[in-house]
Amino acid sequence: QVRLVESGGGAVQAGGSLRLSCTASGDITSTNAMAWFRQRPGKQREGVAAIFRGAGTPLYATSLKDRFIISLDKAKTTVYLQFLTLKPEDTAMYYCAAGSLTSYDSWPWPPNYTYHGQGTQVTVSS
């Protein structure tokens, strides 16, 4: 079992930056990837970025590339999501996930992850 706890969300102004953290506890070595998803009001959950724990390979949603940076700590148990320039449309609940993926292409789909956090809210005002 793996427990994921997100932190770092809050209310910020557009143009600012923010960094979310997700710390895993338990048998994280049973997974090979961690990811960030978000769910905006009235929208489906969408993948923002993922990172493979072994090589540290980052993957980003094409439409969101260059706006976020995903990274791991040295222990590879905490994954970060750095927002480079916040926009009001980034307002969403952000969720962390961990799982064992069989291919890079499978990263954007939440059901491919075994473990999910409770989420942290980010609200961006204009």
Side-chain angles (χ1 to χ4, degrees):
Q1 286 288 339
V2 175
R3 181 169 180 250
L4 302 172
V5 178
E6 300 99 332
S7 62
V12 294
Q13 287 194 326
S17 62
L18 197 67
R19 189 176 78 161
L20 305 181
S21 301
C22 170
T23 299
S25 58
D27 189 19
I28 190 63
T29 58
S30 65
T31 68
N32 65 1
M34 299 181 77
W36 285 98
F37 294 86
R38 71 181 185 182
Q39 189 157 13
R40 294 182 287 174
K43 304 285 188 180
Q44 287 190 330
R45 194 170 296 196
E46 62 178 339
V48 176
I51 189 163
F52 280 75
R53 297 179 60 253
T57 306
L59 297 164
Y60 297 95
T62 302
S63 61
L64 300 175
K65 195 175 180 182
D66 298 330
R67 299 202 52 242
F68 299 89
I69 297 175
I70 189 169
S71 61
L72 282 170
D73 70 340
K74 288 185 178 180
K76 298 185 179 181
T77 59
T78 298
V79 61
Y80 303 100
L81 185 69
Q82 176 76 47
F83 295 71
L84 298 179
T85 304
L86 283 156
K87 300 180 179 181
E89 53 264 40
D90 293 323
T91 293
M93 184 72 82
Y94 285 77
Y95 298 91
C96 175
S100 292
L101 304 184
T102 57
S103 70
Y104 286 164
D105 290 343
S106 62
W107 82 264
W109 314 116
N112 289 338
Y113 296 81
T114 305
Y115 306 103
H116 298 264
Q118 295 299 305
T120 184
Q121 176 69 36
V122 174
T123 303
V124 185
S125 59
S126 57

